[in-house]
Amino acid sequence: TAPEATIHLVVAPTNRDADLFGAINFAVSRNLGKVISLSFGHNETARDTLFEPVFQQAVAQGIAVFAATGDCGAFVPKLKPDQTSECDKSNLAVSYPASSPYVTAVGGTTLFLDSQDRYLRETGWNGSGGGVSKVFATPSWQKSGGLPASTQRVLPDISMLGDWNTGVWLYANGNWLKAGGTSLSAPLMAASYALANQLKGANLGFASPLIYNHARTSAYGTSIRDVVAGSNGFQSGPGWDYVTGWGSPDVNLLATGFAD
């Protein structure tokens, strides 16, 4: 998506909170880049405040962090006895770190193309994580209108291709692999933002306020496509919704709009 971008891959030794924090802190404290993509998450808990100082520091340094909202739709992933997971359709919840007010939460869409692989339309993917945070209050950039009435952070903020059935093929180590989920959506959005930085010729910084300000202008519906169909437990509709946030970007138009 951003072929000239330099990618630094930071690997945590385990998926424990302390190691994940250490990996993110490594990237931020060394200012390795101005865009970070995170494709991990867990159910919100009070311990999530462990990560918040490093995300706040990222914003202060002009780093945009994009995080996957998860693949259980509006529901909680539940670990089964065989250590695989399933979605608990009886429990509404959102994923962290996507719910952090210092992070841009990226949901997922289902993409439809024509016979020549040209864009036709998108719907909200049923796995796209979204809902209301139980931990974090509404950030300032979500208070200006166009969102459901809430005193809490809501997500996602924006979405890109996530549905495994319409995902992308990757060639690695001699094999073709299908990629999907919001673990695809988040790096796609991060790469799109890197292109916007390139067009600007300068760093744009934290993405969420820019996205929300842009969505509240006459450019909405073109540079950000309003995705009005689909459900993740919540229903998509006109404007911002719990399935795709503001919708899906037209990367060229949004990057140009941000760069102006």
Side-chain angles (χ1 to χ4, degrees):
T1 304
E4 295 182 25
T6 298
I7 298 175
H8 299 276
L9 176 64
V10 181
V11 181
T14 76
N15 63 357
R16 296 187 182 95
D17 283 354
D19 287 334
L20 293 170
F21 172 84
I24 299 167
N25 188 57
F26 182 92
V28 172
S29 64
R30 287 162 177 76
N31 209 24
L32 292 184
K34 290 303 182 182
V35 182
I36 292 176
S37 174
L38 304 175
S39 287
F40 73 89
H42 58 243
N43 299 339
E44 287 187 309
T45 65
R47 75 177 187 275
D48 292 333
T49 53
L50 164 71
F51 291 83
E52 288 304 282
V54 71
F55 290 141
Q56 190 172 7
Q57 181 61 36
V59 170
Q61 291 176 206
I63 299 172
V65 181
F66 296 89
T69 59
D71 299 347
C72 273
F75 307 101
V76 170
K78 179 174 64 176
L79 197 64
K80 297 191 294 186
D82 64 359
Q83 298 302 301
T84 60
S85 65
E86 62 183 359
C87 300
D88 180 357
K89 295 298 182 71
S90 66
N91 192 355
L92 291 172
V94 296
S95 176
Y96 184 85
S99 64
S100 168
Y102 302 107
V103 165
T104 301
V106 187
T109 67
T110 299
L111 176 66
F112 295 90
L113 305 174
D114 68 13
S115 60
Q116 297 182 17
D117 287 338
R118 293 175 300 196
Y119 181 92
L120 282 177
R121 61 189 175 91
E122 285 169 281
T123 60
W125 176 46
N126 62 8
S128 177
V132 182
S133 172
K134 298 174 183 176
V135 174
F136 299 102
T138 305
S140 59
W141 36 270
Q142 284 194 327
K143 292 180 178 179
S144 299
L147 277 74
S150 177
T151 60
Q152 299 298 109
R153 162 92 159 105
V154 293
L155 53 153
D157 300 312
I158 199 163
S159 295
M160 291 192 79
L161 171 60
D163 189 340
W164 289 88
N165 294 315
T166 62
V168 299
W169 287 97
L170 305 177
Y171 188 74
N173 298 324
N175 297 300
W176 285 99
L177 308 169
K178 193 71 171 289
T182 55
S183 289
L184 170 65
S185 311
L188 284 176
M189 190 62 214
S192 301
Y193 202 65
L195 292 175
N197 279 342
Q198 182 187 40
L199 278 177
K200 180 72 172 178
N203 178 46
L204 290 164
F206 185 31
S208 293
L210 286 177
I211 291 170
Y212 279 74
N213 288 340
H214 198 76
R216 294 176 175 125
T217 71
S218 59
Y220 185 60
T222 54
S223 56
I224 300 177
R225 304 182 183 99
D226 190 5
V227 179
V228 299
S231 171
N232 64 354
F234 295 105
Q235 185 63 45
S236 294
W240 190 98
D241 58 63
Y242 292 112
V243 187
T244 64
W246 285 111
S248 174
D250 179 308
V251 173
N252 286 334
L253 291 179
L254 188 63
T256 301
F258 283 165
D260 289 344

